[in-house]
């Protein structure tokens, strides 16, 4: 899954603690497996995972014309990096042990409160969903190039419509 989102790419988009690199692969794999299926549909997600070189514009971002305007989307890597960061914020401070989950404490540091962690997680999810709106618009405008795309009308986490043009009523 490094070809979808590597630790170096994560650090360039939304950095996290460098000493947490061992956790990155597991969290990234969980997020990529779940979120790509939710955002793109299972068939398209599997094709993107299996053939990332064929989807450079989708992963890295591209300029496209939408409603007679030039628009740039930031790419699926950007979206996934924020979802990975959200999961890291929610779970990164926990360590599984045979007796349950624990948090490591140090005398010179204080753990963040649950509310602060949830605020950071929610903010990262909002950033990912917002960025996906433009990715979705790109996929819809270029639907002939992406026939496997299955539009998901609701965001996987927030429940609002991802992207719909304004209609005259």
């Amino acid at each position: 899954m490094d070809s979808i989102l590597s630790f170096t790419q994560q650090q360039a988009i939304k950095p996290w603690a460098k000493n947490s690199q061992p956790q990155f692969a597991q969290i990234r794999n969980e997020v990529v497996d779940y979120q790509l299926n939710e955002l793109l549909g299972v068939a398209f997600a599997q094709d993107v995972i299996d053939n990332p070189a064929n989807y450079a514009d989708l992963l890295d971002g591209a300029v496209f014309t939408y409603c007679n305007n030039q628009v740039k989307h930031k790419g699926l890597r950007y979206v996934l990096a924020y979802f990975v960061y959200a999961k890291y914020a929610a779970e990164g401070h926990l360590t599984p042990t045979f007796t349950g989950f624990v948090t490591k404490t140090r005398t010179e540091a204080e753990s963040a409160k649950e509310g602060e962690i949830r605020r950071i997680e929610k903010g990262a999810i909002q950033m990912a969903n917002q960025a996906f709106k433009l990715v979705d618009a790109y996929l819809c405008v270029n639907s002939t190039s992406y026939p496997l795309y299955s539009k998901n009308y609701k965001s996987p986490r927030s429940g609002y419509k991802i992207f719909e043009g304004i209609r005259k009523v």
Side-chain angles (χ1 to χ4, degrees):
M1 299 258 184
D2 250 9
S3 56
I4 300 291
L5 181 67
S6 68
F7 187 73
T8 305
Q9 291 165 331
Q10 174 72 43
Q11 292 297 83
I13 296 167
K14 184 65 177 163
W16 61 355
K18 289 181 182 176
N19 63 348
S20 296
Q21 188 171 358
Q23 292 175 290
F24 174 75
Q26 180 179 351
I27 291 174
R28 186 256 337 264
N29 292 348
E30 291 172 6
V31 167
V32 168
D33 285 342
Y34 176 76
Q35 288 302 144
L36 279 186
N37 287 340
E38 286 291 309
L39 295 172
L40 304 178
V42 176
F44 190 34
Q46 290 304 309
D47 198 40
V48 170
I49 291 168
D50 293 342
N51 306 297
N54 297 344
Y55 297 102
D57 286 349
L58 181 61
L59 290 169
D60 297 325
V63 175
F64 64 102
T65 303
Y66 183 78
C67 295
N68 297 321
N69 294 306
Q70 292 294 316
V71 180
K72 181 179 186 337
H73 75 87
K74 293 184 178 185
L76 273 179
R77 275 197 183 96
Y78 184 89
V79 172
L80 290 171
Y82 272 90
F83 278 126
V84 167
Y85 187 80
K87 189 167 178 71
Y88 168 70
E91 298 177 6
H93 65 289
L94 298 174
T95 303
T97 67
F98 71 96
T99 59
F101 287 97
V102 298
T103 56
K104 293 182 181 178
T105 58
R106 296 172 57 190
T107 55
E108 65 274 2
E110 182 180 332
S111 295
K113 305 285 187 256
E114 185 70 22
E116 293 170 329
I117 292 169
R118 292 292 163 233
R119 181 183 53 77
I120 292 168
E121 177 190 23
K122 185 178 177 184
I125 289 169
Q126 287 173 339
M127 290 288 292
N129 283 330
Q130 188 65 32
F132 186 73
K133 288 179 182 182
L134 289 177
V135 173
D136 179 61
Y138 169 79
L139 288 167
C140 290
V141 166
N142 296 292
S143 60
T144 55
S145 300
Y146 302 104
L148 293 175
Y149 178 52
S150 175
K151 185 174 174 75
N152 180 1
Y153 284 97
K154 295 212 175 204
S155 165
R157 302 248 181 170
S158 63
Y160 63 85
K161 287 187 177 183
I162 291 177
F163 196 87
E164 291 296 320
I166 299 173
R167 295 180 300 192
K168 293 182 180 178
V169 213

